[in-house]
Amino acid sequence: MLNIKNLHATVGGRHILQGLNLQVGEGEVHAIMGPNGSGKSTLAHVLAGRDGYEVTGEVTYEGRDLLAMLPEERATGGVFLAFQYPVEIPGVGNLYFLRTALNAIRKQRGLDEFDAMDFLEFAKAQMKLVEMDPSFMNRSVNEGFSGGEKKRNEIFQMAVLEPKLAILDETDSGLDIDALRIVASGVNALRRKDRAMLVITHYQRLLDYIEPDHVHVLANGRIVQSGDKNLGRQLEAQGYTGLNVPVTAG
Amino acid sequence: MGAMDTRGQTFVQRLSCVPESNGGLTAFRRAALEWVSEHGFPTTRDEAWKYTQVSPILDIPFTPAQQGMDLGLSPGWIDQHAGRLGGVRLVFINGFFAKGLSSFEDIPQGAKITNLASVEGSFSQSLKDQPNAFTALNTALARDGAFIQIPKNVVLETPIHLVFVSGTESEPTMSHPRSLVVAEAGSTATVVETHLGAATGTGRYLSNAVMDVALGEGAVVTHIYVQNEAETAFHLSHLGIRPGAGSRVTTHSVALGGRIARQEVKVMFNAPGAQAVLNGLYMPMNKQHIDNPTAIEHIAPQCESRTLYKGVIGGQGVGIFDGRVVVHPGAIGTDSSQANKNLLLSDTAQANTRPRLEILADDVKCAHGATVGQLDDQAIFYLRSRGVPVQVARDILTLAFADEMLNLIPMTALRSHVRERAMLRMRAEAQEVIG
């Protein structure tokens, strides 16, 4: 469903992705691991459509040219990015924000829009998945949320928006062990045969909870090694330097 | 201001026809007109008019608006465009009282609510001061307006709504509504002042409004001002407030319309222990110019003033906040803060902000600050990444910025009405971006 060929991305004169190739099939869970500065987050941003990058190469998503789509078109088409640093938006209520988003997606899918009452019922059920307090719905988007609450909110949004391709950008960063368990079990509950996931992480520990079908190592803007779930464990034991990959500074 | 030039003289001559008044007011009116001749119109060299040129106004051959135009208005139209708040509503068309469109439901015992023409004598006090040439013109030429008197210790449960509708079918016209609110000691009242352009006509008019509010000891007044004139119109207004000892006044100003609009709020703290809260929101879009001067004079001790104004500026709009707080000698224990925040929606939008503070007394607490920013790109991307179209994302964030002020407006019916009007203005901006 996702086919990335020879993807390059440059930002501020820095050539970050340098010919990345990756194929993700329907329902597959792929982990992308790599050292800091290897281009993991850039990959997530480029796939979600963030501007500010010069991008070349080819990315097809369900047969469509993903790079030609606006960020909102990608989202309504089923692509979801769980942010590493979720943005605080003062003055915009969580509930209102998410209902607006879901209705944009439902409209695209030819479904009726949810009214406020129906949406509230639906949202409450999804919140249980990540053990989120319903009072969060009345607060501004991510405003004053702790690091763990922000990450839970990302997974909660994923549950509500029901994507076909979920990209989790360092969802484990900044989480203590309890929050990690809650977030990971939320993600596992959302695994489906028709939902692919790209789990981007620095550490193996997230993959102890979310077991991937494939593991890839990203270094210097390229996939340098691919394998099954055991590759992650091997990295944990040996470190990225043990892979014999030339790691350049920056 | 200096002696009047030929253009100013011609402007005044076209308008001059001092109404005959009872009770010796004609003398005040003539004196005001003489004041204009002597001092002339303000220029950008006058500090208080630094950002607003009056020459585009003086170039237009305005003539006095005539009584009797109905502009096709109905009570339903007023409900729709000014909001239906319940209670007393006085409607004025081009500065003349329109009895048929007004309603006098639930006037509380003892309260006096009527139009100026029937009680002109009560205005004499407020006619003496001349802050500038336009307020002086108002004094000289005002035909009508509202007069509200709340007796001692009376609490009004419902707001008093004053609606000023302007419009012209052919020649540019000018009107000068003049209002006075007297809240006697211990009374409580809410006054809503709405300025609107009629749906018909050219929209080439100038509404030059003055309202004075006097608060007795311990009185509590909330004043809400909604300016939604035609985008081709000119609007000048002056709200003068005199708080009595221990009184509290809160003003909410929402300025949406007008080609050139200036709405000044002036507070004179002559009695101790009073409090004034000034809130404002202005949204110039397209080529609108909206100026918001505030002037707060702390003369008596132990008074408190809080000013917060926000600007949302799009297109080639110009938004101005010009706040001036003066703490006079002897005004000890003054507590004052001023803040102004602006959001620019386009590269051609312009914000001028000048919170000023002059402290001539000891033992005072004063703060002031201003910001100018744009929509947060990260927040826009976050919303888009969830499927929200870019223009909707911009609207949501813009409204969130404005909501800080809109949410302060009391009364749900009025708040949602004003919010709706503000959203319509934003959409004018959105269409411009797309087109």
Side-chain angles (χ1 to χ4, degrees):
Chain A
M1 62 140 28
L2 180 71
N3 198 349
I4 303 174
K5 272 190 208 161
N6 194 28
L7 184 63
H8 290 258
T10 304
V11 62
R14 290 178 57 221
H15 192 185
I16 297 177
L17 297 183
Q18 305 183 21
L20 185 139
N21 296 296
L22 181 67
Q23 286 188 356
V24 177
E26 204 168 289
E28 292 176 359
V29 175
H30 289 242
I32 310 268
M33 301 184 71
N36 290 331
S38 59
K40 299 191 301 292
S41 283
T42 299
L43 174 64
H45 289 154
V46 166
L47 292 178
R50 179 169 223 146
D51 58 15
Y53 296 95
E54 287 168 48
V55 179
T56 61
E58 199 183 301
V59 180
T60 49
Y61 166 73
E62 294 195 309
R64 299 172 71 185
D65 177 3
L66 188 75
L67 298 178
M69 294 160 75
L70 296 171
E72 54 268 39
E73 291 172 339
R74 301 181 198 202
T76 54
V79 176
F80 177 87
L81 169 65
F83 282 59
Q84 181 179 6
Y85 302 111
V87 182
E88 295 193 16
I89 312 182
V92 178
N94 226 356
L95 191 70
Y96 170 72
F97 151 69
L98 203 48
R99 183 162 66 91
T100 306
L102 180 60
N103 281 337
I105 290 171
R106 288 178 67 88
K107 200 172 155 192
Q108 179 67 26
R109 292 177 187 167
L111 300 168
D112 286 342
E113 296 188 8
F114 269 130
D115 68 22
M117 290 304 287
D118 290 345
F119 177 73
L120 188 62
E121 287 310 304
F122 171 71
K124 273 183 182 166
Q126 310 302 317
M127 293 180 89
K128 287 187 185 138
L129 212 61
V130 284
E131 299 175 28
M132 211 162 133
D133 189 316
S135 69
F136 278 70
M137 293 309 278
N138 301 322
R139 291 168 57 179
S140 292
V141 177
N142 292 321
E143 194 186 27
F145 286 27
S146 72
E149 286 162 351
K150 282 180 183 168
K151 296 299 176 77
R152 275 198 246 178
N153 196 21
E154 294 293 290
I155 303 307
F156 162 61
Q157 290 175 36
M158 173 175 149
V160 167
L161 301 178
E162 303 187 298
K164 292 183 214 168
L165 171 66
I167 303 157
L168 311 183
D169 186 12
E170 308 233 6
T171 294
D172 53 329
S173 70
L175 294 187
D176 63 31
I177 198 73
D178 291 326
L180 180 68
R181 183 188 50 75
I182 293 166
V183 165
S185 73
V187 173
N188 282 330
L190 294 171
R191 281 180 83 151
R192 288 221 222 121
K193 269 186 276 178
D194 58 353
R195 177 171 297 145
M197 292 188 189
L198 209 52
V199 181
I200 292 171
T201 181
H202 189 89
Y203 300 105
Q204 164 64 26
R205 66 170 194 168
L206 180 64
L207 305 181
D208 291 339
Y209 295 94
I210 305 169
E211 204 170 87
D213 301 310
H214 302 274
V215 174
H216 309 275
V217 179
L218 183 61
N220 297 327
R222 236 177 266 196
I223 305 284
V224 294
Q225 197 169 349
S226 296
D228 62 13
K229 61 188 179 189
N230 294 317
L231 179 57
R233 302 211 174 101
Q234 188 189 334
L235 281 172
E236 182 81 348
Q238 300 171 357
Y240 290 106
T241 48
L243 274 176
N244 206 17
V245 171
V247 177
T248 51
Chain B
M1 289 180 227
M4 195 154 59
D5 60 13
T6 331
R7 183 168 54 176
Q9 282 168 12
T10 315
F11 184 82
V12 172
Q13 273 161 15
R14 273 190 222 104
L15 296 165
S16 296
C17 171
V18 173
E20 286 302 320
S21 300
N22 304 322
L25 287 185
T26 310
F28 282 121
R29 291 180 179 275
R30 291 200 191 284
L33 205 58
E34 272 162 33
W35 192 95
V36 179
S37 304
E38 226 169 89
H39 295 82
F41 287 92
T43 70
T44 50
R45 284 189 300 275
D46 294 297
E47 275 301 301
W49 293 77
K50 185 175 158 74
Y51 298 104
T52 299
Q53 280 192 14
V54 300
S55 53
I57 294 173
L58 298 180
D59 285 341
I60 296 173
F62 289 110
T63 54
Q66 300 301 314
Q67 189 163 13
M69 280 185 85
D70 75 352
L71 300 171
L73 302 179
S74 64
W77 189 92
I78 306 281
D79 284 348
Q80 190 191 341
H81 291 87
R84 186 184 184 142
L85 308 179
V88 178
R89 178 165 79 188
L90 305 188
V91 179
F92 297 84
I93 299 177
N94 287 331
F96 294 96
F97 184 51
K99 201 174 179 190
L101 294 170
S102 302
S103 94
F104 290 89
E105 288 165 32
D106 309 325
I107 296 187
Q109 283 278 312
K112 190 164 189 178
I113 300 172
T114 183
N115 59 314
L116 156 81
S118 56
V119 285
E120 226 184 43
S122 310
F123 278 66
S124 58
Q125 186 61 36
S126 83
L127 294 178
K128 285 179 185 163
D129 291 329
Q130 305 309 340
N132 67 60
F134 288 101
T135 51
L137 269 186
N138 179 292
T139 299
L141 306 173
R143 302 298 298 265
D144 215 338
F147 174 72
I148 299 164
Q149 188 169 19
I150 320 295
K152 214 172 163 181
N153 297 327
V154 166
V155 175
L156 293 197
E157 302 290 344
T158 54
I160 297 161
H161 195 181
L162 310 176
V163 182
F164 299 93
V165 190
S166 301
T168 173
E169 276 155 16
S170 48
E171 302 301 311
T173 56
M174 183 167 179
S175 63
H176 311 268
R178 178 70 173 232
S179 303
L180 176 61
V181 178
V182 179
E184 293 181 0
S187 66
T188 297
T190 299
V191 177
V192 182
E193 181 187 351
T194 302
H195 294 268
L196 287 174
T200 57
T202 62
R204 287 240 295 174
Y205 61 83
L206 168 54
S207 173
N208 178 37
V210 175
M211 181 177 293
D212 288 293
V213 180
L215 290 89
E217 193 174 333
V220 179
V221 169
T222 304
H223 177 269
I224 300 143
Y225 161 96
V226 182
Q227 187 272 93
N228 201 13
E229 301 279 18
E231 212 173 310
T232 44
F234 301 88
H235 176 93
L236 300 168
S237 79
H238 181 91
L239 173 64
I241 301 171
R242 295 170 186 279
S247 65
R248 283 191 289 135
V249 60
T250 305
T251 65
H252 303 268
S253 161
V254 179
L256 305 174
R259 166 74 187 80
I260 295 177
R262 183 181 192 270
Q263 38 277 313
E264 181 170 24
V265 181
K266 186 170 185 180
V267 181
M268 295 288 283
F269 283 117
N270 277 312
Q275 185 200 52
V277 176
L278 275 54
N279 297 316
L281 174 67
Y282 47 98
M283 298 180 69
M285 303 287 158
N286 303 323
K287 289 184 175 167
Q288 289 178 278
H289 175 108
I290 301 186
D291 188 358
N292 304 275
T294 59
I296 302 173
E297 307 270 353
H298 282 272
I299 298 158
Q302 310 295 342
C303 291
E304 181 185 337
S305 63
R306 305 264 166 252
T307 307
L308 173 60
Y309 270 62
K310 288 180 101 168
V312 175
I313 309 163
Q316 296 172 57
V318 179
I320 299 137
F321 172 76
D322 190 3
R324 180 162 177 257
V325 172
V326 185
V327 183
H328 292 263
I332 51 160
T334 291
D335 186 352
S336 169
S337 68
Q338 271 191 99
N340 174 231
K341 301 174 192 175
N342 293 279
L343 175 63
L344 302 182
L345 298 177
S346 74
D347 293 341
T348 47
Q350 191 185 325
N352 293 304
T353 174
R354 192 165 64 145
R356 287 178 287 159
L357 195 51
E358 290 165 40
I359 305 177
L360 309 165
D362 295 327
D363 186 23
V364 299
K365 209 165 100 184
C366 293
H368 62 159
T371 61
V372 180
Q374 290 173 310
L375 290 174
D376 178 0
D377 282 338
Q378 293 195 37
I380 293 174
F381 177 66
Y382 192 74
L383 292 166
R384 295 178 79 187
S385 79
R386 299 298 183 249
V388 179
V390 62
Q391 193 52 56
V392 178
R394 291 178 63 90
D395 285 354
I396 287 174
L397 296 172
T398 304
L399 198 56
F401 180 85
D403 267 343
E404 184 184 354
M405 303 318 302
L406 294 171
N407 287 340
L408 296 173
I409 296 174
M411 295 179 288
T412 321
L414 181 62
R415 186 169 55 243
S416 53
H417 171 81
V418 173
R419 196 166 187 265
E420 208 174 280
R421 299 289 127 180
M423 279 163 78
L424 286 173
R425 294 304 306 153
M426 268 167 40
R427 253 169 242 153
E429 158 69 15
Q431 275 154 12
E432 202 185 336
V433 169
I434 292 161

